[in-house]
Amino acid sequence: MKIKKYLPTILLIIAAAGLIVVGIALKQPQSVLEKAVKICMECIGIG
Amino acid sequence: MADNKKIRLAIQGVATLIQNANLKGFFEGKIYTGPGKKICVPGLNCYSCPGAIGSCPIGSLQTFLTKFKIKIPYYVVGLLLFFAAFLGRAVCGFLCPFGMIQELINLIPFPVKKNRFKGDKALRYLKYAILAACVIILPICFKLTPFFCKYICPSGTIAGIILAITDSAIASKLGAIFTWKVIILISILFSSLIIWRPFCKYICPLGAIYSLFNRVSLIRLKVDENKCINCGKCAKACKMCVDPVKTPNSGECIRCMDCAKACPEHAITLNVTEIKSHSGKDERIKGEQ
Ligand code: SF4
Ligand code: SF4
Protein backbone atom coordinates (compact mmCIF):
# COMPACT_ATOMS: atom_id res chain seq x y z
CA MET A 1 0.00 0.00 0.00
CA LYS A 2 1.36 3.38 -1.00
CA ILE A 3 1.32 5.14 2.35
CA LYS A 4 2.07 8.55 0.80
CA LYS A 5 -1.16 8.54 -1.14
CA TYR A 6 -3.05 7.80 2.04
CA LEU A 7 -1.31 10.40 4.14
CA PRO A 8 -4.15 12.96 3.88
CA THR A 9 -6.64 10.25 4.89
CA ILE A 10 -4.52 9.17 7.83
CA LEU A 11 -4.06 12.77 8.96
CA LEU A 12 -7.80 13.35 8.64
CA ILE A 13 -8.56 10.30 10.77
CA ILE A 14 -6.07 11.45 13.41
CA ALA A 15 -7.53 14.98 13.38
CA ALA A 16 -11.06 13.56 13.65
CA ALA A 17 -10.07 11.32 16.57
CA GLY A 18 -8.38 14.27 18.30
CA LEU A 19 -11.46 16.46 17.93
CA ILE A 20 -13.72 13.71 19.22
CA VAL A 21 -11.49 13.22 22.28
CA VAL A 22 -11.45 16.98 23.00
CA GLY A 23 -15.23 17.09 22.55
CA ILE A 24 -15.75 14.18 24.93
CA ALA A 25 -13.42 15.82 27.50
CA LEU A 26 -15.59 18.94 27.26
CA LYS A 27 -18.72 16.80 27.76
CA GLN A 28 -20.07 17.78 24.37
CA PRO A 29 -21.85 14.43 23.77
CA GLN A 30 -24.00 15.41 26.76
CA SER A 31 -24.98 18.65 25.01
CA VAL A 32 -25.86 16.68 21.87
CA LEU A 33 -27.99 14.35 24.02
CA GLU A 34 -29.74 17.20 25.84
CA LYS A 35 -30.82 18.74 22.56
CA ALA A 36 -31.84 15.44 21.00
CA VAL A 37 -34.01 14.05 23.80
CA LYS A 38 -36.54 16.85 23.47
CA ILE A 39 -38.67 17.30 20.37
CA CYS A 40 -36.98 20.09 18.44
CA MET A 41 -39.70 22.62 17.64
CA GLU A 42 -37.65 24.21 14.87
CA CYS A 43 -36.99 20.88 13.16
CA ILE A 44 -40.63 19.88 13.02
CA GLY A 45 -41.74 23.32 11.86
CA ILE A 46 -43.31 24.88 14.95
CA GLY A 47 -40.61 27.00 16.55
CA MET B 1 -24.09 -11.75 -10.59
CA ALA B 2 -26.43 -10.10 -8.14
CA ASP B 3 -27.69 -6.71 -9.23
CA ASN B 4 -25.65 -4.05 -7.47
CA LYS B 5 -28.67 -1.74 -7.38
CA LYS B 6 -30.64 -4.28 -5.37
CA ILE B 7 -27.74 -4.85 -2.99
CA ARG B 8 -27.34 -1.12 -2.47
CA LEU B 9 -31.07 -0.68 -1.90
CA ALA B 10 -30.97 -3.48 0.67
CA ILE B 11 -28.05 -1.78 2.48
CA GLN B 12 -29.90 1.55 2.39
CA GLY B 13 -33.01 -0.11 3.83
CA VAL B 14 -31.09 -1.80 6.63
CA ALA B 15 -29.20 1.43 7.43
CA THR B 16 -32.48 3.38 7.57
CA LEU B 17 -33.99 0.75 9.86
CA ILE B 18 -30.98 0.73 12.18
CA GLN B 19 -30.96 4.54 12.44
CA ASN B 20 -34.71 4.48 13.14
CA ALA B 21 -34.88 1.38 15.30
CA ASN B 22 -37.21 2.93 17.90
CA LEU B 23 -40.19 1.54 15.98
CA LYS B 24 -42.64 1.87 18.85
CA GLY B 25 -42.05 5.62 18.75
CA PHE B 26 -43.90 5.77 15.41
CA PHE B 27 -47.04 4.43 17.06
CA GLU B 28 -46.77 6.26 20.37
CA GLY B 29 -45.65 9.59 18.89
CA LYS B 30 -42.81 9.77 21.41
CA ILE B 31 -39.13 10.19 20.61
CA TYR B 32 -36.31 8.01 21.91
CA THR B 33 -34.42 9.57 24.83
CA GLY B 34 -31.67 7.00 25.48
CA PRO B 35 -27.88 7.37 25.37
CA GLY B 36 -27.73 6.51 21.65
CA LYS B 37 -28.56 10.14 21.02
CA LYS B 38 -25.11 11.14 22.25
CA ILE B 39 -23.86 9.86 18.91
CA CYS B 40 -24.49 11.50 15.54
CA VAL B 41 -25.58 9.26 12.69
CA PRO B 42 -23.75 9.67 9.36
CA GLY B 43 -26.79 10.59 7.23
CA LEU B 44 -29.56 13.15 7.32
CA ASN B 45 -31.99 11.72 9.88
CA CYS B 46 -33.87 14.17 12.10
CA TYR B 47 -33.42 13.54 15.82
CA SER B 48 -37.03 14.51 16.36
CA CYS B 49 -38.18 11.61 14.22
CA PRO B 50 -39.94 9.17 16.62
CA GLY B 51 -37.83 6.31 15.28
CA ALA B 52 -34.43 8.01 15.52
CA ILE B 53 -31.99 6.39 17.94
CA GLY B 54 -29.12 8.75 17.12
CA SER B 55 -28.66 12.47 16.54
CA CYS B 56 -28.62 14.39 13.28
CA PRO B 57 -25.12 15.81 12.65
CA ILE B 58 -26.40 18.99 10.96
CA GLY B 59 -28.90 19.68 13.76
CA SER B 60 -26.23 18.99 16.39
CA LEU B 61 -23.75 21.28 14.66
CA GLN B 62 -26.25 24.13 14.79
CA THR B 63 -26.97 23.40 18.47
CA PHE B 64 -23.43 24.47 19.35
CA LEU B 65 -23.48 27.52 17.10
CA THR B 66 -26.82 28.90 18.27
CA LYS B 67 -25.87 29.17 21.95
CA PHE B 68 -25.53 32.67 23.44
CA LYS B 69 -21.97 31.73 24.24
CA ILE B 70 -20.90 29.88 21.11
CA LYS B 71 -19.17 26.58 21.75
CA ILE B 72 -16.74 25.20 19.20
CA PRO B 73 -18.37 21.90 18.15
CA TYR B 74 -15.24 19.72 18.45
CA TYR B 75 -17.20 16.53 18.98
CA VAL B 76 -19.66 16.89 16.08
CA VAL B 77 -16.97 18.15 13.65
CA GLY B 78 -14.76 15.24 14.75
CA LEU B 79 -17.53 12.74 14.02
CA LEU B 80 -18.24 14.35 10.64
CA LEU B 81 -14.55 14.22 9.69
CA PHE B 82 -14.43 10.61 10.85
CA PHE B 83 -17.32 9.61 8.55
CA ALA B 84 -15.81 11.73 5.76
CA ALA B 85 -12.37 10.14 6.11
CA PHE B 86 -13.64 6.59 5.97
CA LEU B 87 -16.62 6.86 3.66
CA GLY B 88 -16.84 10.27 1.98
CA ARG B 89 -20.02 10.46 -0.03
CA ALA B 90 -20.47 6.70 0.15
CA VAL B 91 -22.55 7.77 3.18
CA CYS B 92 -24.95 9.33 0.66
CA GLY B 93 -24.97 6.27 -1.57
CA PHE B 94 -25.47 3.69 1.14
CA LEU B 95 -26.45 5.06 4.55
CA CYS B 96 -28.61 8.17 4.29
CA PRO B 97 -32.37 7.62 4.70
CA PHE B 98 -33.32 10.78 2.82
CA GLY B 99 -31.12 9.79 -0.12
CA MET B 100 -32.97 6.47 -0.26
CA ILE B 101 -36.38 8.15 -0.16
CA GLN B 102 -35.49 10.27 -3.20
CA GLU B 103 -34.20 7.26 -5.10
CA LEU B 104 -37.38 5.28 -4.39
CA ILE B 105 -39.53 8.16 -5.64
CA ASN B 106 -37.43 8.39 -8.80
CA LEU B 107 -38.31 4.75 -9.54
CA ILE B 108 -41.97 5.77 -10.02
CA PRO B 109 -42.70 6.06 -13.75
CA PHE B 110 -43.17 9.68 -14.86
CA PRO B 111 -43.36 11.14 -18.38
CA VAL B 112 -40.31 13.37 -17.83
CA LYS B 113 -37.03 12.08 -16.40
CA LYS B 114 -34.18 14.53 -16.72
CA ASN B 115 -30.76 14.55 -15.13
CA ARG B 116 -28.77 16.68 -17.53
CA PHE B 117 -29.97 20.21 -18.12
CA LYS B 118 -28.60 23.70 -18.49
CA GLY B 119 -27.80 25.26 -15.15
CA ASP B 120 -27.26 21.91 -13.41
CA LYS B 121 -23.57 22.57 -12.84
CA ALA B 122 -24.12 26.04 -11.39
CA LEU B 123 -26.92 24.76 -9.15
CA ARG B 124 -24.53 22.23 -7.57
CA TYR B 125 -22.81 25.14 -5.77
CA LEU B 126 -26.06 26.01 -3.99
CA LYS B 127 -25.49 23.31 -1.34
CA TYR B 128 -22.20 24.92 -0.33
CA ALA B 129 -23.93 28.30 0.00
CA ILE B 130 -26.65 26.68 2.15
CA LEU B 131 -23.99 25.03 4.32
CA ALA B 132 -22.14 28.32 4.83
CA ALA B 133 -25.20 30.53 5.26
CA CYS B 134 -27.93 28.41 6.90
CA VAL B 135 -25.83 25.99 8.96
CA ILE B 136 -22.92 28.23 10.02
CA ILE B 137 -23.20 32.01 9.48
CA LEU B 138 -26.90 32.71 10.14
CA PRO B 139 -27.12 30.47 13.25
CA ILE B 140 -24.07 32.30 14.67
CA CYS B 141 -25.49 35.75 13.83
CA PHE B 142 -29.07 35.05 14.95
CA LYS B 143 -28.69 33.16 18.20
CA LEU B 144 -31.15 30.36 18.95
CA THR B 145 -32.20 29.95 15.32
CA PRO B 146 -30.95 26.80 13.60
CA PHE B 147 -31.80 28.16 10.15
CA PHE B 148 -31.40 24.99 8.13
CA CYS B 149 -33.56 22.94 10.53
CA LYS B 150 -36.17 25.63 10.88
CA TYR B 151 -36.67 26.71 7.29
CA ILE B 152 -35.40 23.97 5.00
CA CYS B 153 -34.73 20.48 6.36
CA PRO B 154 -37.20 18.03 4.79
CA SER B 155 -36.17 15.27 7.19
CA GLY B 156 -37.46 17.39 10.09
CA THR B 157 -40.70 18.04 8.21
CA ILE B 158 -41.27 14.31 7.82
CA ALA B 159 -40.69 13.97 11.59
CA GLY B 160 -43.19 16.81 12.17
CA ILE B 161 -45.82 15.13 10.01
CA ILE B 162 -45.42 11.81 11.86
CA LEU B 163 -45.62 13.54 15.26
CA ALA B 164 -48.64 15.64 14.21
CA ILE B 165 -50.50 12.50 13.18
CA THR B 166 -49.86 10.81 16.53
CA ASP B 167 -50.04 13.83 18.87
CA SER B 168 -52.96 16.26 18.66
CA ALA B 169 -51.17 18.81 20.89
CA ILE B 170 -48.41 19.11 18.30
CA ALA B 171 -50.91 19.16 15.44
CA SER B 172 -52.72 22.12 17.03
CA LYS B 173 -49.50 24.19 17.14
CA LEU B 174 -48.60 23.87 13.47
CA GLY B 175 -48.61 27.16 11.59
CA ALA B 176 -47.01 29.16 8.80
CA ILE B 177 -43.48 27.76 9.22
CA PHE B 178 -44.78 24.22 9.02
CA THR B 179 -46.77 25.08 5.88
CA TRP B 180 -43.58 26.56 4.34
CA LYS B 181 -41.60 23.45 5.22
CA VAL B 182 -44.27 21.15 3.79
CA ILE B 183 -44.14 23.15 0.53
CA ILE B 184 -40.35 22.61 0.45
CA LEU B 185 -40.75 18.90 1.20
CA ILE B 186 -43.40 18.43 -1.51
CA SER B 187 -41.25 20.35 -4.01
CA ILE B 188 -38.26 18.12 -3.27
CA LEU B 189 -40.31 14.93 -3.45
CA PHE B 190 -41.97 16.03 -6.69
CA SER B 191 -38.61 17.01 -8.22
CA SER B 192 -37.33 13.56 -7.25
CA LEU B 193 -39.84 12.08 -9.69
CA ILE B 194 -38.02 13.89 -12.50
CA ILE B 195 -34.44 14.39 -11.29
CA TRP B 196 -32.39 11.76 -9.49
CA ARG B 197 -31.66 12.97 -5.90
CA PRO B 198 -32.31 16.72 -6.42
CA PHE B 199 -31.90 17.47 -2.71
CA CYS B 200 -28.51 15.71 -2.62
CA LYS B 201 -27.29 17.46 -5.76
CA TYR B 202 -28.38 21.00 -4.96
CA ILE B 203 -29.39 21.52 -1.33
CA CYS B 204 -27.99 19.12 1.27
CA PRO B 205 -25.34 20.72 3.53
CA LEU B 206 -24.29 17.29 4.81
CA GLY B 207 -23.62 16.12 1.27
CA ALA B 208 -21.67 19.36 0.76
CA ILE B 209 -19.44 18.54 3.74
CA TYR B 210 -18.78 14.97 2.61
CA SER B 211 -18.16 16.08 -0.98
CA LEU B 212 -15.22 18.19 0.19
CA PHE B 213 -13.51 15.02 1.43
CA ASN B 214 -14.39 12.58 -1.37
CA ARG B 215 -10.90 12.94 -2.80
CA VAL B 216 -9.20 11.79 0.40
CA SER B 217 -11.71 9.34 1.82
CA LEU B 218 -10.66 5.71 2.19
CA ILE B 219 -13.34 4.55 -0.25
CA ARG B 220 -12.47 5.80 -3.73
CA LEU B 221 -13.26 4.89 -7.29
CA LYS B 222 -10.54 3.34 -9.40
CA VAL B 223 -10.57 3.26 -13.20
CA ASP B 224 -8.11 0.82 -14.71
CA GLU B 225 -6.42 2.78 -17.49
CA ASN B 226 -5.29 -0.38 -19.20
CA LYS B 227 -8.82 -1.73 -19.47
CA CYS B 228 -10.72 1.51 -20.23
CA ILE B 229 -11.53 1.99 -23.94
CA ASN B 230 -13.00 5.49 -23.48
CA CYS B 231 -16.45 4.44 -24.70
CA GLY B 232 -18.16 6.92 -22.37
CA LYS B 233 -20.79 4.42 -21.19
CA CYS B 234 -19.89 5.01 -17.55
CA ALA B 235 -20.42 8.77 -17.77
CA LYS B 236 -23.74 8.20 -19.52
CA ALA B 237 -24.89 5.81 -16.78
CA CYS B 238 -24.02 8.15 -13.91
CA LYS B 239 -27.15 9.80 -12.53
CA MET B 240 -25.03 12.23 -10.53
CA CYS B 241 -23.59 13.36 -13.90
CA VAL B 242 -19.99 12.49 -13.02
CA ASP B 243 -17.52 11.29 -15.66
CA PRO B 244 -15.62 8.70 -13.60
CA VAL B 245 -12.82 8.45 -16.18
CA LYS B 246 -12.04 12.15 -15.90
CA THR B 247 -12.89 12.72 -12.23
CA PRO B 248 -13.19 9.39 -10.41
CA ASN B 249 -13.20 11.13 -7.07
CA SER B 250 -15.48 14.04 -7.88
CA GLY B 251 -17.26 15.49 -4.87
CA GLU B 252 -20.53 14.57 -6.57
CA CYS B 253 -19.79 10.83 -6.74
CA ILE B 254 -21.85 8.91 -4.19
CA ARG B 255 -20.13 5.57 -5.00
CA CYS B 256 -23.34 3.99 -6.27
CA MET B 257 -21.31 1.97 -8.83
CA ASP B 258 -23.85 2.34 -11.66
CA CYS B 259 -20.86 3.33 -13.80
CA ALA B 260 -19.04 0.09 -12.95
CA LYS B 261 -22.08 -1.89 -13.98
CA ALA B 262 -22.29 -0.02 -17.29
CA CYS B 263 -18.62 -0.53 -18.12
CA PRO B 264 -18.23 -3.30 -20.74
CA GLU B 265 -14.56 -3.75 -19.81
CA HIS B 266 -15.08 -3.96 -16.03
CA ALA B 267 -12.54 -1.17 -15.68
CA ILE B 268 -14.19 0.56 -12.70
CA THR B 269 -13.88 -0.73 -9.16
CA LEU B 270 -14.10 0.59 -5.63
CA ASN B 271 -10.62 0.51 -4.29
CA VAL B 272 -9.62 1.26 -0.75
CA THR B 273 -6.09 -0.02 -0.94
CA GLU B 274 -4.61 1.59 -4.02
CA ILE B 275 -5.19 4.96 -5.59
CA LYS B 276 -4.05 5.67 -9.08
CA SER B 277 -3.31 9.14 -10.37
CA HIS B 278 -5.48 10.01 -13.34
CA SER B 279 -3.82 13.26 -14.18
CA GLY B 280 -1.93 11.82 -17.14
CA LYS B 281 -5.09 10.31 -18.51
CA ASP B 282 -7.00 13.58 -18.06
CA GLU B 283 -4.43 15.31 -20.21
CA ARG B 284 -4.78 12.63 -22.89
CA ILE B 285 -8.59 12.94 -22.91
CA LYS B 286 -8.37 16.72 -23.08
CA GLY B 287 -5.97 16.41 -25.99
CA GLU B 288 -8.33 14.10 -27.86
CA GLN B 289 -11.31 16.48 -27.54
S1 SF4 C 1 -26.63 14.55 0.13
FE1 SF4 C 1 -27.62 14.73 2.14
S2 SF4 C 1 -29.69 13.92 1.90
FE2 SF4 C 1 -28.45 13.27 0.12
S3 SF4 C 1 -27.73 11.28 0.72
FE3 SF4 C 1 -26.11 12.74 1.28
S4 SF4 C 1 -26.52 13.30 3.42
FE4 SF4 C 1 -28.35 12.31 2.61
S1 SF4 D 1 -19.32 8.07 -10.88
FE1 SF4 D 1 -20.09 5.97 -10.70
S2 SF4 D 1 -20.13 5.53 -8.50
FE2 SF4 D 1 -19.96 7.76 -8.74
S3 SF4 D 1 -22.09 8.52 -8.63
FE3 SF4 D 1 -21.55 8.22 -10.79
S4 SF4 D 1 -22.26 6.13 -11.30
FE4 SF4 D 1 -22.19 6.32 -9.04
PDB file of all heavy atoms in Angstrom, chain B residues 201-214:
ATOM      1  N   LYS B 201     -28.105  16.729  -4.777  1.00  0.00           N
ATOM      2  CA  LYS B 201     -27.293  17.456  -5.758  1.00  0.00           C
ATOM      3  C   LYS B 201     -27.203  18.943  -5.432  1.00  0.00           C
ATOM      4  O   LYS B 201     -26.141  19.552  -5.591  1.00  0.00           O
ATOM      5  CB  LYS B 201     -27.889  17.297  -7.154  1.00  0.00           C
ATOM      6  CG  LYS B 201     -27.632  15.961  -7.806  1.00  0.00           C
ATOM      7  CD  LYS B 201     -28.370  15.889  -9.144  1.00  0.00           C
ATOM      8  CE  LYS B 201     -28.093  14.578  -9.845  1.00  0.00           C
ATOM      9  NZ  LYS B 201     -29.039  14.333 -10.939  1.00  0.00           N
ATOM     10  N   TYR B 202     -28.327  19.531  -5.007  1.00  0.00           N
ATOM     11  CA  TYR B 202     -28.376  20.997  -4.955  1.00  0.00           C
ATOM     12  C   TYR B 202     -28.511  21.600  -3.553  1.00  0.00           C
ATOM     13  O   TYR B 202     -28.202  22.774  -3.385  1.00  0.00           O
ATOM     14  CB  TYR B 202     -29.551  21.511  -5.809  1.00  0.00           C
ATOM     15  CG  TYR B 202     -29.592  20.894  -7.182  1.00  0.00           C
ATOM     16  CD1 TYR B 202     -30.716  20.196  -7.621  1.00  0.00           C
ATOM     17  CD2 TYR B 202     -28.496  20.996  -8.036  1.00  0.00           C
ATOM     18  CE1 TYR B 202     -30.751  19.618  -8.879  1.00  0.00           C
ATOM     19  CE2 TYR B 202     -28.525  20.416  -9.290  1.00  0.00           C
ATOM     20  CZ  TYR B 202     -29.650  19.727  -9.710  1.00  0.00           C
ATOM     21  OH  TYR B 202     -29.670  19.151 -10.951  1.00  0.00           O
ATOM     22  N   ILE B 203     -29.020  20.862  -2.599  1.00  0.00           N
ATOM     23  CA  ILE B 203     -29.390  21.516  -1.327  1.00  0.00           C
ATOM     24  C   ILE B 203     -28.659  20.992  -0.090  1.00  0.00           C
ATOM     25  O   ILE B 203     -28.300  21.773   0.791  1.00  0.00           O
ATOM     26  CB  ILE B 203     -30.930  21.384  -1.094  1.00  0.00           C
ATOM     27  CG1 ILE B 203     -31.684  22.023  -2.266  1.00  0.00           C
ATOM     28  CG2 ILE B 203     -31.344  22.046   0.217  1.00  0.00           C
ATOM     29  CD1 ILE B 203     -33.181  21.787  -2.265  1.00  0.00           C
ATOM     30  N   CYS B 204     -28.393  19.707  -0.019  1.00  0.00           N
ATOM     31  CA  CYS B 204     -27.988  19.123   1.274  1.00  0.00           C
ATOM     32  C   CYS B 204     -26.623  19.621   1.798  1.00  0.00           C
ATOM     33  O   CYS B 204     -25.578  19.389   1.180  1.00  0.00           O
ATOM     34  CB  CYS B 204     -27.960  17.605   1.176  1.00  0.00           C
ATOM     35  SG  CYS B 204     -27.554  16.853   2.763  1.00  0.00           S
ATOM     36  N   PRO B 205     -26.609  20.251   2.978  1.00  0.00           N
ATOM     37  CA  PRO B 205     -25.344  20.719   3.535  1.00  0.00           C
ATOM     38  C   PRO B 205     -24.450  19.582   4.024  1.00  0.00           C
ATOM     39  O   PRO B 205     -23.223  19.715   4.049  1.00  0.00           O
ATOM     40  CB  PRO B 205     -25.781  21.607   4.712  1.00  0.00           C
ATOM     41  CG  PRO B 205     -27.150  21.140   5.071  1.00  0.00           C
ATOM     42  CD  PRO B 205     -27.769  20.583   3.831  1.00  0.00           C
ATOM     43  N   LEU B 206     -25.082  18.440   4.362  1.00  0.00           N
ATOM     44  CA  LEU B 206     -24.287  17.294   4.810  1.00  0.00           C
ATOM     45  C   LEU B 206     -23.551  16.678   3.617  1.00  0.00           C
ATOM     46  O   LEU B 206     -22.359  16.353   3.696  1.00  0.00           O
ATOM     47  CB  LEU B 206     -25.225  16.264   5.464  1.00  0.00           C
ATOM     48  CG  LEU B 206     -24.592  15.129   6.243  1.00  0.00           C
ATOM     49  CD1 LEU B 206     -23.610  15.627   7.283  1.00  0.00           C
ATOM     50  CD2 LEU B 206     -25.669  14.265   6.895  1.00  0.00           C
ATOM     51  N   GLY B 207     -24.257  16.581   2.503  1.00  0.00           N
ATOM     52  CA  GLY B 207     -23.621  16.118   1.273  1.00  0.00           C
ATOM     53  C   GLY B 207     -22.496  17.061   0.864  1.00  0.00           C
ATOM     54  O   GLY B 207     -21.449  16.635   0.384  1.00  0.00           O
ATOM     55  N   ALA B 208     -22.707  18.363   1.097  1.00  0.00           N
ATOM     56  CA  ALA B 208     -21.674  19.361   0.763  1.00  0.00           C
ATOM     57  C   ALA B 208     -20.418  19.107   1.597  1.00  0.00           C
ATOM     58  O   ALA B 208     -19.297  19.159   1.079  1.00  0.00           O
ATOM     59  CB  ALA B 208     -22.207  20.765   1.005  1.00  0.00           C
ATOM     60  N   ILE B 209     -20.607  18.810   2.878  1.00  0.00           N
ATOM     61  CA  ILE B 209     -19.439  18.541   3.740  1.00  0.00           C
ATOM     62  C   ILE B 209     -18.697  17.300   3.246  1.00  0.00           C
ATOM     63  O   ILE B 209     -17.489  17.324   3.031  1.00  0.00           O
ATOM     64  CB  ILE B 209     -19.878  18.350   5.221  1.00  0.00           C
ATOM     65  CG1 ILE B 209     -20.428  19.660   5.781  1.00  0.00           C
ATOM     66  CG2 ILE B 209     -18.697  17.851   6.080  1.00  0.00           C
ATOM     67  CD1 ILE B 209     -21.053  19.539   7.162  1.00  0.00           C
ATOM     68  N   TYR B 210     -19.441  16.214   3.036  1.00  0.00           N
ATOM     69  CA  TYR B 210     -18.776  14.974   2.614  1.00  0.00           C
ATOM     70  C   TYR B 210     -18.105  15.135   1.246  1.00  0.00           C
ATOM     71  O   TYR B 210     -17.054  14.537   0.985  1.00  0.00           O
ATOM     72  CB  TYR B 210     -19.776  13.811   2.575  1.00  0.00           C
ATOM     73  CG  TYR B 210     -20.272  13.383   3.933  1.00  0.00           C
ATOM     74  CD1 TYR B 210     -21.607  13.050   4.148  1.00  0.00           C
ATOM     75  CD2 TYR B 210     -19.401  13.305   5.021  1.00  0.00           C
ATOM     76  CE1 TYR B 210     -22.068  12.659   5.400  1.00  0.00           C
ATOM     77  CE2 TYR B 210     -19.861  12.918   6.272  1.00  0.00           C
ATOM     78  CZ  TYR B 210     -21.191  12.596   6.464  1.00  0.00           C
ATOM     79  OH  TYR B 210     -21.644  12.213   7.698  1.00  0.00           O
ATOM     80  N   SER B 211     -18.721  15.938   0.377  1.00  0.00           N
ATOM     81  CA  SER B 211     -18.156  16.081  -0.979  1.00  0.00           C
ATOM     82  C   SER B 211     -16.755  16.709  -0.927  1.00  0.00           C
ATOM     83  O   SER B 211     -15.909  16.415  -1.766  1.00  0.00           O
ATOM     84  CB  SER B 211     -19.084  16.904  -1.866  1.00  0.00           C
ATOM     85  OG  SER B 211     -18.995  18.269  -1.550  1.00  0.00           O
ATOM     86  N   LEU B 212     -16.530  17.545   0.071  1.00  0.00           N
ATOM     87  CA  LEU B 212     -15.220  18.195   0.191  1.00  0.00           C
ATOM     88  C   LEU B 212     -14.112  17.172   0.485  1.00  0.00           C
ATOM     89  O   LEU B 212     -12.936  17.437   0.262  1.00  0.00           O
ATOM     90  CB  LEU B 212     -15.245  19.256   1.303  1.00  0.00           C
ATOM     91  CG  LEU B 212     -16.204  20.428   1.090  1.00  0.00           C
ATOM     92  CD1 LEU B 212     -16.257  21.312   2.326  1.00  0.00           C
ATOM     93  CD2 LEU B 212     -15.803  21.251  -0.121  1.00  0.00           C
ATOM     94  N   PHE B 213     -14.512  16.020   1.017  1.00  0.00           N
ATOM     95  CA  PHE B 213     -13.509  15.020   1.430  1.00  0.00           C
ATOM     96  C   PHE B 213     -13.511  13.760   0.551  1.00  0.00           C
ATOM     97  O   PHE B 213     -12.812  12.796   0.849  1.00  0.00           O
ATOM     98  CB  PHE B 213     -13.743  14.637   2.902  1.00  0.00           C
ATOM     99  CG  PHE B 213     -13.568  15.798   3.838  1.00  0.00           C
ATOM    100  CD1 PHE B 213     -14.662  16.537   4.258  1.00  0.00           C
ATOM    101  CD2 PHE B 213     -12.304  16.184   4.258  1.00  0.00           C
ATOM    102  CE1 PHE B 213     -14.508  17.635   5.098  1.00  0.00           C
ATOM    103  CE2 PHE B 213     -12.136  17.270   5.094  1.00  0.00           C
ATOM    104  CZ  PHE B 213     -13.241  18.003   5.513  1.00  0.00           C
ATOM    105  N   ASN B 214     -14.310  13.767  -0.517  1.00  0.00           N
ATOM    106  CA  ASN B 214     -14.390  12.575  -1.371  1.00  0.00           C
ATOM    107  C   ASN B 214     -13.038  12.172  -1.946  1.00  0.00           C
ATOM    108  O   ASN B 214     -12.748  11.012  -2.151  1.00  0.00           O
ATOM    109  CB  ASN B 214     -15.373  12.832  -2.527  1.00  0.00           C
ATOM    110  CG  ASN B 214     -16.459  11.773  -2.574  1.00  0.00           C
ATOM    111  OD1 ASN B 214     -16.642  11.011  -1.631  1.00  0.00           O
ATOM    112  ND2 ASN B 214     -17.197  11.728  -3.665  1.00  0.00           N
TER     113      ASN B 214
END
